[in-house]
Amino acid sequence: MIPAMFVIGAISQYVGASLGVGLFEQLSPVAVAWLRGAGAGLILLIALRPRRADWTRARLRSAALFGTVTVAMNMAFYEAIDHIDLGTAVAIEFLGPIAVAVAGSRRAVDLLAAAAALAGVVCVAGVNLDGATGGGLGSDGAIGIACALLAAALWAGYIVLGKRVADAGGGIEGLGVGLAAGALVLALPGLGPDLATRPDAFLSWEVWVLGLGLGLLSSVVPYVLDQVVLTRVGRERFALLLALLPVTATGVGAVMLGQRPGWLEAVGIALVVFAIALTSRRTATPDSGC
């Protein structure tokens, strides 16, 4: 049940990514990521209509921090894939959730599972162990790797903070309020450069409609599912389950784009499934629905 939620969220996220690719021609990756966060926050606020009386200052601060980290994570990742290959960026970014799993574990079996997940993600992403990306790295690649590492650190923060928001109750409301607050906090760095260099892009209604669509598909659907899962499992298992994202991407690529996985990718999928199997029995809860 829980892995199925991740697959559904991943499919939605990758369909939404196709909208983001189109927007890259009109806006910078950072601005597109901001539109994604702002669009998702707006949709959730309209749909849920959270009551002001339910929000204490402490709860609002917690949600705002969570949302700011989430929007910043998307900005860093979108900037990374503008400089390096998507597979390389995904592999580097997954160091974040895997680090959360390792840091929260005291059992050898969990360390083994984390190692298997890491190896699986590297295989699926097609990254060589020596860090080569085919054509060499250079300054542009170094910027991309730095942005991907930043996204990895922010992803770890997203997991930890998201668990707190979910445990406090009203996690989906917290997500909407948090994303809206994060978009406000990061509006200047997110939109400022594009407003200065290409203001005409924001006069197109298509940009705003696509931004809403990107927020719905790439943020609302997968993040709402994240909140549902976070209320049922610990953050360590959640971090390992996130490895299903590149696995699902491989399946979507095979079905929709004709990108058949080779033996290395197949080994990676098997390693990730193995890691999930190692952790699922220990961390499953009676009300998990599994």
Side-chain angles (χ1 to χ4, degrees), residues 3-208:
M5 291 183 183
F6 272 86
V7 173
I8 293 170
I11 291 173
S12 178
Q13 186 170 349
Y14 294 126
V15 171
S18 64
L19 298 176
V21 171
L23 282 175
F24 276 5
E25 299 176 359
Q26 299 171 270
L27 297 173
S28 69
V30 168
V32 172
W34 184 91
L35 283 176
R36 168 182 169 177
L42 179 61
I43 291 170
L44 287 172
L45 288 181
I46 292 174
L48 300 175
R49 298 181 182 179
R51 297 186 305 172
R52 184 176 179 181
D54 294 336
W55 286 85
T56 63
R57 290 186 178 181
R59 187 182 178 194
L60 182 58
R61 282 195 301 267
S62 178
L65 180 59
F66 170 58
T68 301
V69 167
T70 303
V71 175
M73 173 186 70
N74 291 330
M75 287 181 172
F77 182 71
Y78 275 37
E79 191 63 38
I81 62 176
D82 194 42
H83 293 278
I84 59 177
D85 293 344
L86 177 61
T88 303
V90 169
I92 295 172
E93 192 189 27
F94 260 87
L95 294 177
I98 292 171
V100 172
V102 173
S105 173
R106 295 182 180 180
R107 290 163 50 97
V109 67
D110 293 327
L111 297 178
L112 175 61
L118 175 60
V121 169
V122 170
C123 290
V124 171
V127 179
N128 295 327
L129 292 178
D130 62 0
T133 58
L137 287 178
S139 60
D140 197 52
I143 293 173
I145 288 177
C147 290
L149 287 171
L150 176 59
L154 290 168
W155 198 354
Y158 164 80
I159 295 169
V160 175
L161 294 172
K163 179 62 174 174
R164 292 179 185 174
V165 171
D167 287 344
I172 298 177
E173 278 192 5
L175 175 65
V177 172
L179 286 174
L184 287 175
V185 170
L186 297 173
L188 183 58
L191 296 181
D194 286 68
L195 285 172
T197 58
R198 52 183 105 180
D200 292 345
F202 294 98
L203 299 177
S204 171
W205 64 268
E206 295 175 340
V207 167
W208 297 103

Side-chain angles (χ1 to χ4, degrees), residues 201-258:
F202 294 98
L203 299 177
S204 171
W205 64 268
E206 295 175 340
V207 167
W208 297 103
V209 171
L210 287 173
L212 285 173
L214 182 60
L216 175 64
L217 293 173
S218 290
S219 290
V220 173
V221 173
Y223 290 169
V224 164
L225 290 176
D226 281 356
Q227 288 296 312
V228 172
V229 173
L230 277 166
T231 61
R232 300 184 179 186
V233 301
R235 62 188 177 98
E236 293 82 21
R237 187 188 173 199
F238 178 81
L240 287 169
L241 280 171
L242 286 170
L244 281 172
L245 292 177
V247 174
T248 304
T250 301
V252 170
V255 173
M256 300 185 65
L257 303 175

